[in-house]
Amino acid sequence: MATLDTSDIDQYLGKPVDSSSLREPIATNDIRRWVHAMHYPNLLHYDPDFAAASRWGKIIAPQSICIATDDGHGAAPACVGNIPDSHLLFGGDEHWFTGVRVQAGDIIANERVPFDYVVKETKFAGPTCFQRGDNNFTNQNGELILKQRSTSIRYNKEAGSETVNTDDFEETTWTDAEEQELIKRRFQWVQMMHDLGHKERWWDDVQVGDDLPERVFGPHSIASFTTEWRAYIVNNWGTMNLRKQDLAGVGFDPAMGVLENDPDMMKIDPFQTDGAYYGPSRGHLFPGWARRIGMPRGYGYGASMGAWGIDYLAGWAGEHGMVVHCISNYRGPALTGDVTIQTAEVIDKSVDEEGRHLIHVKHKMANHKGTIMATGSAEIALPKKPA
């Protein structure tokens, strides 16, 4: 009977683990590259004229930006420790935002603390380790921007390749007419942001039972996933002060056979440490490698899904609103050829102990076939109409 040896994880729990630092401050084009890669055309984050007329007076980063500054995509404290002969997938995130915004010139640091883990029996892979860890993102002034608790899913490497669904090897092919219809459908959510502009979305006007406008984007492709990969700052050569000891226990998969972001190899042959081509992440972009870990073809990044959820809610809230708290549980990836559809429903309204007027929603992400990709809940602060 298959088992998982998780004993090595215990030594890390509750203790801060190292992370690598950015070599340069966040640049405006880092912000633009991020929203481009995350399919988030909010003018506040890339258009200087719109941003200058906003409450901020300049381009600011979306709330989802912090994971782009982290050398582990937010997953590192959730996958410390060696589980022999195992694979790893991103399982979910919980975010708590303080209201501090990221802008060009900021230097983001992350204190990472492994939190806990539990082993459960699953249909997908038999004994499976669900491991959690916290990221605490601060700026150069020591202000906390975000606490993110990530979940990783770790399982025996044989199990993944045995459960791959061969029916999903072929991706959906879209006709020209279907693509034109998707373009129109995708733009409806963008038009919603244009219509809101710099205006407030008032807490008073939102009612329990309201549906948020759907957000549609895709079809996903190797090209779109590659664009996402390069928007994570660490995945561009030489952008971080990486050290070998910072990578201990993460970034290595025996079946993939190489350490991503190896700082020594990067100076010799950067191709051999670039996760787009080598190491555990290459399954996202190469179907043959994807099938080794149970995925039928090229698939998207779990951290990107977390950003999609936050961006969806923040785009609806507008520049005067803010996502306060968001939980996202990932059930399946975006695959090449798929279209992603996000929806949400207002389930409650409240005023918290800090006096913030909150909209409570449950949100969902599915593909064009109706397959659920993620579910979760969130609280969004909106302004209250003046008396």
Side-chain angles (χ1 to χ4, degrees):
M1 184 177 179
T3 60
L4 281 180
D5 180 2
T6 59
S7 58
D8 190 52
I9 299 175
D10 295 329
Q11 63 179 310
Y12 297 101
L13 296 181
K15 304 173 185 175
V17 294
D18 288 333
S19 64
S20 305
S21 59
L22 294 171
R23 283 189 164 131
E24 292 90 21
I26 295 295
T28 302
N29 273 353
D30 291 326
I31 297 171
R32 290 190 174 107
R33 185 176 296 110
W34 179 249
V35 294
H36 180 186
M38 294 299 111
H39 320 273
Y40 185 36
N42 188 330
L43 291 167
L44 183 62
H45 308 306
Y46 70 92
D47 182 80
D49 295 332
F50 183 90
S54 74
R55 62 179 292 208
W56 309 102
K58 58 186 174 182
I59 288 175
I60 61 165
Q63 289 188 247
S64 62
I65 190 75
C66 281
I67 56 170
T69 72
D70 180 56
D71 63 334
H73 296 197
C79 54
V80 297
N82 178 41
I83 299 180
D85 298 323
S86 65
H87 283 314
L88 181 147
L89 294 172
F90 222 151
D93 287 298
E94 186 167 8
H95 295 82
W96 294 267
F97 293 96
T98 66
V100 175
R101 300 303 294 256
V102 176
Q103 57 189 296
D106 283 351
I107 300 175
I108 309 302
N110 181 17
E111 182 185 61
R112 307 194 291 208
V113 184
F115 186 65
D116 65 5
Y117 72 94
V118 63
V119 177
K120 298 180 180 179
E121 192 73 18
T122 66
K123 293 180 180 179
F124 171 70
T128 302
C129 176
F130 295 86
Q131 185 175 351
R132 298 191 296 178
D134 291 342
N135 298 280
N136 300 282
F137 293 98
T138 55
N139 62 19
Q140 67 279 3
N141 300 318
E143 298 172 300
L144 180 66
I145 303 164
L146 163 69
K147 178 178 179 178
Q148 174 200 19
R149 179 164 293 165
S150 293
T151 300
S152 69
I153 301 172
R154 307 177 72 177
Y155 53 95
N156 287 310
K157 66 180 184 180
E158 294 84 3
S161 59
E162 291 172 355
T163 56
V164 63
N165 186 353
T166 57
D167 293 336
D168 284 337
F169 278 5
E170 297 298 324
E171 64 184 53
T172 299
T173 301
W174 299 86
T175 66
D176 291 345
E178 288 170 334
E179 287 196 358
Q180 288 303 310
E181 186 59 34
L182 281 173
I183 289 172
K184 294 178 183 178
R185 193 175 171 190
R186 181 182 65 203
F187 185 68
Q188 291 176 359
W189 188 77
V190 181
Q191 185 67 61
M192 177 273 297
M193 290 194 293
H194 292 334
D195 291 342
L196 185 60
H198 298 300
K199 300 188 297 291
E200 292 91 344
R201 185 181 296 283
W202 299 112
W203 178 84
D204 312 68
D205 295 336
V206 180
Q207 303 301 321
V208 173
D210 286 353
D211 291 324
L212 273 60
E214 70 170 10
R215 180 192 184 196
V216 176
F217 56 94
H220 302 286
S221 65
I222 295 300
S224 68
F225 292 153
T226 304
T227 301
E228 291 178 27
W229 178 256
R230 291 301 179 208
Y232 291 88
I233 296 174
V234 68
N235 298 331
N236 297 283
W237 299 349
T239 54
M240 283 190 157
N241 291 306
L242 294 162
R243 302 178 302 169
K244 208 66 164 269
Q245 59 264 39
D246 296 342
L247 302 174
V250 301
F252 182 75
D253 188 316
M256 300 298 192
V258 72
L259 180 69
E260 290 179 12
N261 298 318
D262 184 322
D264 300 328
M265 180 57 71
M266 194 170 288
K267 295 178 181 179
I268 301 168
D269 185 355
F271 292 103
Q272 291 193 43
T273 189
D274 188 330
Y277 305 106
Y278 295 96
S281 296
R282 63 180 142 178
H284 291 283
L285 304 180
F286 294 91
W289 289 100
R291 290 164 192 162
R292 293 194 182 196
I293 60 168
M295 296 295 164
R297 55 185 191 272
Y299 64 103
Y301 302 92
S304 294
M305 291 177 68
W308 297 347
I310 293 165
D311 292 343
Y312 171 53
L313 301 172
W316 173 79
E319 70 179 63
H320 299 276
M322 182 186 73
V323 179
V324 172
H325 174 239
C326 184
I327 298 173
S328 296
N329 301 307
Y330 309 141
R331 297 187 180 182
L335 298 171
T336 56
D338 285 1
V339 165
T340 292
I341 303 163
Q342 292 179 267
T343 55
E345 178 188 358
V346 178
I347 59 173
D348 199 4
K349 297 173 65 175
S350 69
V351 180
D352 70 5
E353 63 277 4
E354 297 179 35
R356 297 178 299 188
H357 289 72
L358 303 180
I359 300 296
H360 301 248
V361 303
K362 59 180 181 181
H363 62 93
K364 181 173 67 175
M365 189 182 303
N367 67 15
H368 62 286
K369 298 177 181 178
T371 302
I372 301 300
M373 299 163 57
T375 59
S377 61
E379 292 82 55
I380 305 160
L382 292 181
K384 180 172 173 56
K385 282 183 178 178

